[in-house]
Amino acid sequence: MATETEWRRRWKSDLVSCPWQSVEVDGNNYLIKVKFSEESYEALITDLMSFWHEALDGPSLKQRIEKLNPRIEAPVTKILDQIELSLAKPTKETVLSVSFKNNRDPRKDIILKITSSLAGMPFSWHFYGQMCDNKVARDHLTFPLIAMVAELLRRQKELEVLLIAKDKEINDYKSQGARTSRKHIETSLFDMIGFKNNMATSEGFEKQVKKLEKALFDQEGQELYRQIVMKHAWLRHKDDDNSLRNTVLDDESLTTIFGAVSSEPSWSNRLPPSMMQPKPSVSPTVTPSDSAAKDTEQMRREALERRLQEEMMKRQEKTKKKKKLAF
């Protein structure tokens, strides 16, 4: 199985791995994430009560470009870059607005409109989002937020231990006569309980509560979100891979067909047949029974490898279908 570093190099991000970005529209706060490719995008928008999703590519994307910006002649990649820039780094000319379109349920479909300029010409774009089920909220926001809070608490505890250790080190220096060169850089001993009490009543705590999602998904928060989602994807990949290998190893049908060879190592410790080098013969004489045993073992190995490959392909297909928007 590949190491985590090797897996990270090959891993392709999806919509769930894109961090949320806070945007204010018509005095209301929204969170939005968009996954762009060369000729497509996938977007998710939420007001923390409802979630809306849109995926657009190919002819549908080009048709909307021609409809909204008939005077602009630019490649699709340039248009997508302009949309991404308008969301990530809006200028004074960029205007965002939200409307809803559905007669039965006024909040079922959302339209997020962007108005800006491209090469000196007016540019506009509309995201048409359809309401998602609760699973999307769980996978894209609830679970990642819980994991982020847990990780931040773990890091806080690590820092507390480090501060206490630093205080011990400083006291040791002072006991040997060491002094700071300047009085104002001296620090008092770290009091964990006092620190937590001060934080709970501080002015900064009140400001953070007022900011809510704006503070959470700043640059550092977005980076932590990426780290959490990537780590979770790696753990899921590792569990799936181990489960697949155990399924193949536990299959007794192949052993029944080809027989068991107790002297051979387990499948997890054996290289594939294509990578195995032939062992030198101890004796030039090969009996018919030895040859038959080797043929049987070779068939067993090849069958196991084919089965492993087929099972991996099936699982990958199921993952693509079922977990397109899964955390």
Side-chain angles (χ1 to χ4, degrees), residues 1 235-251 306-324 326:
M1 184 175 64
L235 294 174
R236 190 177 61 196
H237 165 80
K238 188 167 61 172
D239 290 343
D240 289 346
D241 189 67
N242 289 336
S243 176
L244 175 59
R245 290 178 180 273
N246 292 335
T247 300
V248 175
L249 286 170
D250 292 340
D251 191 347
R306 285 196 301 270
R307 178 65 178 275
L308 178 62
Q309 186 66 25
E310 291 173 359
E311 290 291 338
M312 289 183 68
M313 292 178 65
K314 289 180 182 179
R315 291 206 172 207
Q316 289 175 356
E317 289 297 326
K318 290 181 180 179
T319 301
K320 289 179 181 178
K321 293 178 181 179
K322 294 182 180 180
K323 298 182 179 180
K324 185 176 181 182

Side-chain angles (χ1 to χ4, degrees), residues 29 37 45 54 66 72 90-91 148 195 208 213 228 231-232 249 252 255 260 263 287 290 303 308 310 315 325:
N29 293 323
S37 65
I45 306 169
E54 182 189 32
E66 294 173 358
I72 295 179
T91 64
M148 289 172 68
F195 172 78
Q208 288 296 94
E213 70 278 359
I228 291 290
K231 177 65 72 172
H232 186 273
L249 286 170
E252 297 180 355
T255 304
S263 62
T287 64
D290 292 337
L308 178 62
E310 291 173 359
R315 291 206 172 207
L325 291 176

Side-chain angles (χ1 to χ4, degrees), residues 16 20 44-53 105 107 130-144 146 325-327:
V16 73
W20 291 98
L44 198 60
I45 306 169
T46 180
D47 59 357
L48 300 182
M49 293 185 293
S50 302
F51 287 74
W52 299 273
H53 174 262
D105 185 352
R107 294 183 58 81
Q130 295 184 336
M131 187 174 288
C132 307
D133 57 24
N134 294 333
K135 184 177 180 296
V136 174
R138 180 199 69 185
D139 296 339
H140 284 259
L141 190 61
T142 306
F143 279 5
I146 292 174
L325 291 176
F327 173 67

Side-chain angles (χ1 to χ4, degrees), residues 273-326:
S274 59
M275 297 177 62
M276 295 185 68
Q277 299 294 330
K279 296 181 180 179
S281 301
V282 177
S283 173
T285 303
V286 179
T287 64
S289 60
D290 292 337
S291 178
K294 290 181 179 180
D295 290 343
T296 300
E297 175 58 21
Q298 182 69 17
M299 293 172 64
R300 190 177 74 89
R301 292 176 186 175
E302 292 177 354
L304 283 171
E305 186 166 355
R306 285 196 301 270
R307 178 65 178 275
L308 178 62
Q309 186 66 25
E310 291 173 359
E311 290 291 338
M312 289 183 68
M313 292 178 65
K314 289 180 182 179
R315 291 206 172 207
Q316 289 175 356
E317 289 297 326
K318 290 181 180 179
T319 301
K320 289 179 181 178
K321 293 178 181 179
K322 294 182 180 180
K323 298 182 179 180
K324 185 176 181 182
L325 291 176

